[in-house]
């Protein structure tokens, strides 16, 4: 069983309004409302891969109830901490081939909420063999909060994959207890290191040799249609992927985390782990719905992903 953590889930609302007008009334047809949050995408893809998954985090109010309903419809086991404050809506207005987003910040957690969540997390750890943490933190949590989750899983010998950015990521990496894996994209990697990392082997291998990453077993730098550059132990790999018909790449990073988690759980070889992780990311990009993969295409895409070990 894999546990996915989403500390600040949302209801994602998309409004297609082709001729969006400012300072005027806009009417919308075809509004779509889904349970959002990176960790929920990870959970959905793990489920579609036929793997056991449970999902946790913090939510509340009627928006929180909607999220639970949606997860239950997908038969995803969910054990969220329920709080009295309302979870957030995130609105995307689709207009003129552009996307204008309005993102609520969501609830502010109290010290009691944090303590209650940690108790829930601890109890869930008794039944899982791998954990993924995705996304940003809600207000009220210190940027070092994920360190706590990493340490608690480490005590039990449970590998943990952390997909976050900015100060949350930095705090996880400067800690003595390291996560098992991280999955920054190149922008997040550049931001972490305060340099402009180029997508070439030299720049990437130099970046991943930074002491931030010492003791992290896997660093998967995902690069959209260019595949990924990876450090596993002391080895570097370049992963190239086939050209596909891209429909909607939103959530591909989450799908990559899902594929990676499942492959690691099954103790696949380095090559197979990377091929699986890329394949689920690609399959997500081929679909309109975020966090959805058509598993019928898995094998054909998997066979077209190439993993090359780099000799430096
Ligand atoms: P993130 O969403 O975290 O920025 P990426 O955009 O790097 O992550 O996507 C993760 C993975 O999904 C990529 O490594 C690749 O395998 C796949 N992917 C993403 N975008 C595309 C695309 N346009 N074409 C093909 N595959 C893609």
């Amino acid at each position: 069983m894999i546990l996915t953590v989403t500390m600040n889930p949302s209801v994602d609302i998309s409004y297609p309004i082709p001729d969006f007008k400012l300072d005027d009334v806009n009417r919308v047809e075809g509004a779509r409302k889904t349970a959002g949050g990176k960790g929920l995408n990870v959970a959905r893809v793990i489920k579609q891969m036929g793997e056991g998954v449970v999902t946790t985090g913090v939510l509340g109010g009627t928006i929180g109830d909607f999220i639970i309903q949606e997860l239950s419809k997908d038969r995803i086991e969910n054990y969220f901490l329920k709080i009295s404050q309302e979870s957030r809506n995130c609105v995307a207005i689709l207009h003129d081939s552009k996307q204008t987003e309005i993102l609520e910040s969501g609830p502010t957690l109290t010290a009691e909420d944090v303590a209650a969540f940690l108790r829930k997390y601890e109890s869930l750890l008794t039944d899982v063999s791998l954990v993924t943490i995705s996304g940003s933190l809600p207000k009220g949590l210190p940027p070092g909060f994920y360190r706590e989750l990493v340490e608690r899983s480490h005590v039990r010998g449970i590998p943990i994959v952390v997909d976050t950015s900015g100060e949350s990521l930095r705090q996880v990496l400067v800690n003595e207890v390291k996560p098992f894996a991280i999955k920054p994209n190149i922008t997040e990697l550049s931001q972490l290191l305060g340099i402009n990392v180029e997508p070439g082997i030299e720049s990437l291998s130099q970046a991943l040799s930074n002491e931030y990453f010492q003791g992290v077993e896997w660093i998967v730098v995902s690069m959209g249609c260019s595949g990924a550059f990876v450090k596993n132990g002391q080895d570097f790999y370049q992963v190239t992927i086939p050209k596909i018909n891209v429909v909607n790449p939103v959530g591909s990073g989450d799908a990559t985390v899902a594929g990676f988690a499942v492959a690691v759980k099954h103790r696949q070889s380095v090559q197979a782990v990377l091929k699986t992780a890329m394949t689920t990311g690609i399959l997500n990009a081929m679909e309109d719905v975020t966090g959805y993969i058509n598993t019928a295409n898995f094998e054909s895409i998997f066979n077209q992903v190439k993993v090359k070990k780099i000799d430096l």
Side-chain angles (χ1 to χ4, degrees):
M1 190 76 98
I2 297 172
L3 174 67
T4 81
V5 179
T6 318
M7 294 307 290
N8 202 8
S10 56
V11 169
D12 290 350
I13 304 174
S14 91
Y15 289 146
I17 309 179
D19 55 347
F20 181 61
K21 296 180 286 294
L22 280 176
D23 199 23
D24 206 342
V25 173
N26 293 271
R27 296 189 190 279
V28 60
E29 278 179 40
R32 203 154 70 184
K33 297 180 186 169
T34 54
K38 289 163 68 65
L40 303 190
N41 294 334
V42 177
R44 277 190 279 259
V45 173
I46 292 174
K47 177 83 180 175
Q48 287 152 36
M49 294 174 81
E51 194 66 39
V53 63
V54 288
T55 187
T56 189
V58 177
L59 47 67
T62 51
I63 296 176
D65 291 343
F66 178 84
I67 294 170
I68 290 179
Q69 270 172 33
E70 290 294 291
L71 289 169
S72 303
K73 265 193 228 162
D74 288 339
R75 297 215 167 86
I76 293 174
E77 276 187 68
N78 49 85
Y79 299 102
F80 280 81
L81 174 73
K82 289 189 193 142
I83 56 170
S84 53
Q85 294 172 71
E86 191 75 43
S87 286
R88 59 191 182 136
N89 281 322
C90 291
V91 178
I93 303 166
L94 314 174
H95 59 102
D96 313 309
S97 312
K98 295 188 186 115
Q99 180 159 327
T100 298
E101 296 193 20
I102 298 158
L103 310 179
E104 294 179 20
S105 56
T108 302
L109 303 196
T110 63
E112 290 76 41
D113 295 334
V114 176
F117 174 74
L118 287 173
R119 282 196 297 276
K120 186 171 277 287
Y121 178 71
E122 196 73 52
S123 72
L124 288 167
L125 284 182
T126 56
D127 268 342
V128 301
S129 51
L130 194 140
V131 177
T132 72
I133 302 179
S134 305
S136 56
L137 289 167
K139 284 180 292 176
L141 289 180
F145 178 74
Y146 285 150
R147 281 198 316 232
E148 184 75 36
L149 304 191
V150 170
E151 284 173 8
R152 288 178 186 232
S153 70
H154 184 260
V155 167
R156 293 171 185 266
I158 302 170
I160 185 159
V161 184
V162 180
D163 182 14
T164 187
S165 57
E167 187 57 18
S168 290
L169 176 60
R170 202 186 71 79
Q171 292 270 342
V172 160
L173 294 173
V174 294
N175 198 27
E176 201 178 323
V177 176
K178 304 284 181 173
F180 174 71
I182 58 171
K183 193 223 69 64
N185 59 30
I186 221 161
T187 311
E188 291 160 345
L189 181 65
S190 298
Q191 190 190 17
L192 174 75
L193 300 177
I195 54 170
N196 192 15
V197 181
E198 303 287 339
I201 291 174
E202 202 176 319
S203 176
L204 280 160
S205 55
Q206 206 170 13
L208 296 193
S209 302
N210 188 291
E211 64 179 331
Y212 269 128
F213 307 114
Q214 264 177 32
V216 182
E217 182 83 10
W218 287 92
I219 304 126
V220 179
V221 183
S222 67
M223 301 192 292
C225 62
S226 305
F229 189 84
V230 179
K231 182 165 184 254
N232 171 231
Q234 295 310 312
D235 299 331
F236 292 91
Y237 298 88
Q238 188 166 37
V239 193
T240 49
I241 62 175
K243 213 170 167 44
I244 52 143
N245 182 23
V246 179
V247 178
N248 176 12
V250 176
S252 281
D254 306 331
T256 294
V257 169
F260 178 87
V262 170
V264 163
K265 182 176 172 257
H266 285 276
R267 299 179 187 279
Q268 290 180 3
S269 66
V270 168
Q271 299 259 335
V273 166
L274 295 176
K275 285 186 178 191
T276 303
M278 288 296 99
T279 301
T280 44
I282 296 165
L283 291 177
N284 177 80
M286 290 166 71
E287 302 292 329
D288 184 30
V289 180
T290 300
Y292 175 80
I293 60 168
N294 182 351
T295 48
N297 296 326
F298 188 93
E299 205 180 324
S300 90
I301 296 289
F302 183 93
N303 290 331
Q304 295 173 69
V305 177
K306 303 284 172 242
V307 178
K308 190 173 148 213
K309 188 158 183 270
I310 308 288
D311 291 319
L312 292 171

